[in-house]
Amino acid sequence: MRTAALACAIVPDAVAQETYWPTHEWRNSSPEAQGMDSEVLADALDYVRDHQTPIHSLTIVRNGHVVLDAYFWPFQEGQLHDLASVTKSVTSTLAGIAIGRHALELRQPLTAVFDQRRIANLDEQKRRMTIEHLLSMTSGLDCEAGRGEITLSQMRESTDWTQFMLDLPMRDEPGSRFEYCSGGMHLLSAAITEATGLSALDFARRELFGPLGIGNAAWPADDHGVSYGWGDLHLEPLDMAKLGYLWLNNGRWEDRQLVPEEWMRAAVQAQPQPARNGQKYGYGLWVYPDRHPRLFEAEGRGGQRISVTPEKNVVVVFTGGEFEPGDIGAFILRAIKSDQPLPENPAAADRLATAVGDAATPPRPVAFMSPMVSTVSGRRYTLAENPLDLKSFVLTFSGAEDAHLQLELGDRIDPPRPIGLDGVPRVPSGGEFGAPVAVSGRWESDSTFVVEYNEIGNINMYRFRLRFSGDDVDVQLSERSQVIPSARFHGTSVN
């Protein structure tokens, strides 16, 4: 059953309704029934439109009711979205569940978890490294977050990612210094697998996703079956909100304490201060003890967030393709007017409903065609070395509004993807993890064609500026979230 973006027919005492759990379906409410101002929320959506903010979805839950569930075209309701490093918070929560089931212990040494492995650089400091140190990013391992998370890249180039992390030398005494270490979270995922006999995904299906009613999830694993502990979990935004609601309720769901309450309370307490102004870290969650009202959140590259404000009984989920959630969060905070219902505001509710509808609507088509179409169409251009490992491309123009783009990336050749030439991206499925890919193109001049290749649910949005001259093409490549560096390289037609 489709969840409505807004529901305005709410009884006045909605805040005082009986407790329920959104295992099978969220309840919807007007913002006013939950003490929030529709007018301010409409202002937030106007801000997104006016600033062309690359947000993909915005979900607000207050008092257990969805007061806003907006999707920004081309991302759509019901689609999976990459959580990026929000995944770390899920991995940490699963570790908490494993601790509650006595499969792991908080202060259990890593050497005891992996006692069947031969571990290099094994000294007394490494023997003192525990599960808790992985949770709080204070392992002491020589793990570098700088230079594009170079240690993570090195780990992924190794044949056994778990062994690579275990074998790293120690740089600090465990617990003495914070270092954001994605590989450490993969090691935590491996510890869950070692202790339970299940991948983190399968353990989640049994102990977390299943009880919460989350049925649609994708989570890749390494060659040894260990789910990526640091990123790439894909969920729907409304299911992300269930995780936030679980955390808001101290790990309790329905009549079960899924996550130990003591562990959950410790998870949102500040551990050693990282080098980010105003941010501290708990167990896989960022905490802001000096903010009023108090806030903790799961945070991922590109603007992925699950933000929880306990004093206001609010959970907010953002997904996007590289934007600053705080810009919109300021509107949400202003929209919270009371802990009691406000008078209904039909005019503001209509304005908000219109804004939600407009956000999901494709842009109006426009078009311009270059006389170079007949020269370029159907030709394969081979490319010089580049950060994307793009080997070649073929552009085929079939009319004034449509074209197709075929990319050769590494050792694979993608099927031709439709391109909207009228300013409206075409959105076929078939991207990584089944996520849609929105592709649009336009002639910037008679010789320059610009392609925007938006992976939407997988965050990345690539822009190719192709300047054609005779048999040659000059390519300028950029990626909005800077997951790869911008680059300029050359290509030549082989037709």
Side-chain angles (χ1 to χ4, degrees):
M1 178 178 178
R2 187 183 187 277
T3 303
L6 295 167
C8 297
I10 305 297
V11 296
D13 61 343
V15 174
Q17 288 181 8
E18 75 282 2
T19 299
Y20 87 102
W21 295 92
T23 306
H24 303 293
E25 187 175 28
W26 284 99
R27 290 184 182 177
N28 301 289
S29 169
S30 70
E32 278 70 22
Q34 307 305 326
M36 297 185 72
D37 189 338
S38 294
E39 197 77 38
V40 179
L41 295 179
D43 289 342
L45 298 193
D46 287 349
Y47 175 92
V48 168
R49 178 200 63 210
D50 295 343
H51 290 78
Q52 298 183 319
T53 304
I55 183 175
H56 295 159
S57 71
L58 170 60
T59 302
I60 304 173
V61 175
R62 192 172 198 210
N63 303 321
H65 293 72
V66 175
V67 300
L68 179 64
D69 191 35
Y71 297 85
F72 300 81
W73 196 89
F75 188 70
Q76 300 172 42
E77 182 181 9
Q79 292 178 337
L80 295 175
H81 201 287
D82 187 355
L83 273 60
S85 285
V86 170
T87 305
K88 294 178 173 69
S89 304
V90 180
T91 302
S92 299
T93 299
L94 292 172
I97 294 173
I99 290 168
R101 301 290 184 274
H102 304 292
L104 290 172
E105 297 176 12
L106 184 62
R107 294 179 176 83
Q108 185 176 7
L110 264 293
T111 52
V113 177
F114 297 101
D115 58 358
Q116 299 302 308
R117 288 181 178 257
R118 295 175 63 89
I119 300 174
N121 297 303
L122 185 59
D123 56 16
E124 290 307 309
Q125 283 188 331
K126 187 173 286 190
R127 293 182 192 278
R128 288 193 288 270
M129 182 175 56
T130 67
I131 293 293
E132 184 176 28
H133 294 134
L134 294 180
L135 287 164
S136 61
M137 297 276 194
T138 59
S139 68
L141 289 169
D142 188 11
C143 180
E144 184 178 342
R147 295 188 289 166
E149 294 206 71
I150 187 171
T151 303
L152 178 64
S153 298
Q154 292 168 343
M155 180 194 82
R156 299 188 69 175
E157 292 170 359
S158 70
T159 57
D160 185 333
W161 298 358
T162 301
Q163 192 68 49
F164 175 88
M165 292 304 301
L166 286 170
D167 286 346
L168 285 176
M170 300 295 290
R171 183 173 60 191
D172 301 292
E173 175 65 28
S176 66
R177 191 173 74 87
F178 178 95
E179 178 70 26
Y180 191 78
C181 179
S182 290
M185 282 296 176
H186 192 68
L187 190 52
L188 184 62
S189 177
I192 292 169
T193 298
E194 190 74 20
T196 67
L198 299 171
S199 69
L201 174 58
D202 288 339
F203 187 63
R205 284 172 172 156
R206 191 183 77 185
E207 302 289 350
L208 180 62
F209 296 165
L212 269 57
I214 297 175
N216 192 13
W219 198 352
D222 67 17
D223 290 343
H224 297 268
V226 177
S227 303
Y228 291 8
W230 77 93
D232 285 347
L233 171 62
H234 287 61
L235 296 175
E236 296 178 26
L238 284 169
D239 286 339
M240 294 170 66
K242 289 183 179 182
L243 293 170
Y245 199 58
L246 174 73
W247 299 332
L248 176 68
N249 286 281
N250 296 315
R252 186 171 186 80
W253 195 268
E254 295 183 338
D255 60 350
R256 294 178 59 189
Q257 191 70 42
L258 297 182
V259 189
E261 184 174 2
E262 181 181 0
W263 185 94
M264 195 68 237
R265 292 187 185 280
V268 296
Q269 297 299 313
Q271 301 296 321
Q273 173 67 49
R276 291 194 186 186
N277 291 333
Q279 284 184 307
K280 295 186 178 182
Y281 206 70
Y283 293 161
L285 290 161
W286 293 97
V287 297
Y288 302 82
D290 298 328
R291 286 195 188 178
H292 301 286
R294 185 171 62 91
L295 168 73
F296 65 85
E297 64 183 2
E299 176 183 322
R301 175 181 69 88
Q304 321 322 311
R305 296 286 191 280
I306 304 175
S307 298
V308 180
T309 307
E311 294 169 28
K312 298 299 181 181
N313 207 13
V314 170
V315 175
V316 180
V317 169
F318 300 94
T319 66
E322 189 57 36
F323 74 106
E324 176 45 61
D327 294 341
I328 302 165
F331 287 94
I332 298 171
L333 193 59
R334 288 203 301 272
I336 302 173
K337 300 293 188 182
S338 173
D339 292 334
Q340 299 299 320
L342 302 172
E344 293 296 335
N345 186 340
D350 287 346
R351 181 186 164 210
L352 181 55
T354 297
V356 170
D358 289 347
T361 303
R364 294 178 180 176
V366 294
F368 159 70
M369 292 296 285
S370 163
M372 287 199 70
V373 164
S374 59
T375 303
V376 171
S377 184
R379 303 180 76 175
R380 180 174 297 278
Y381 290 85
T382 60
L383 303 171
E385 184 176 347
N386 59 82
L388 193 58
D389 198 21
L390 179 61
K391 305 293 188 183
S392 71
F393 72 86
V394 179
L395 272 172
T396 305
F397 293 87
S398 52
E401 295 183 355
D402 293 288
H404 285 81
L405 172 68
Q406 185 175 48
L407 301 178
E408 181 184 3
L409 287 159
D411 57 359
R412 79 174 195 270
I413 299 179
D414 284 350
R417 296 189 183 278
I419 304 176
L421 301 178
D422 52 6
V424 182
R426 304 302 187 256
V427 193
S429 59
E432 193 174 12
F433 304 107
V437 177
V439 190
S440 64
R442 59 185 173 86
W443 286 99
E444 190 174 75
S445 68
D446 283 350
S447 61
T448 302
F449 187 71
V450 178
V451 177
E452 291 192 349
Y453 188 96
N454 187 353
E455 293 187 323
I456 317 175
N458 292 317
I459 303 174
N460 305 323
M461 201 285 279
Y462 302 95
R463 179 177 284 110
F464 304 92
R465 178 169 277 104
L466 311 173
R467 186 169 62 84
F468 296 97
S469 177
D471 293 333
D472 298 332
V473 63
D474 181 72
V475 182
Q476 288 181 278
L477 167 66
S478 61
E479 197 284 316
R480 187 162 55 199
S481 69
Q482 299 181 344
V483 68
I484 62 168
S486 298
R488 184 170 183 171
F489 47 95
H490 187 73
T492 303
S493 171
V494 295
N495 295 67

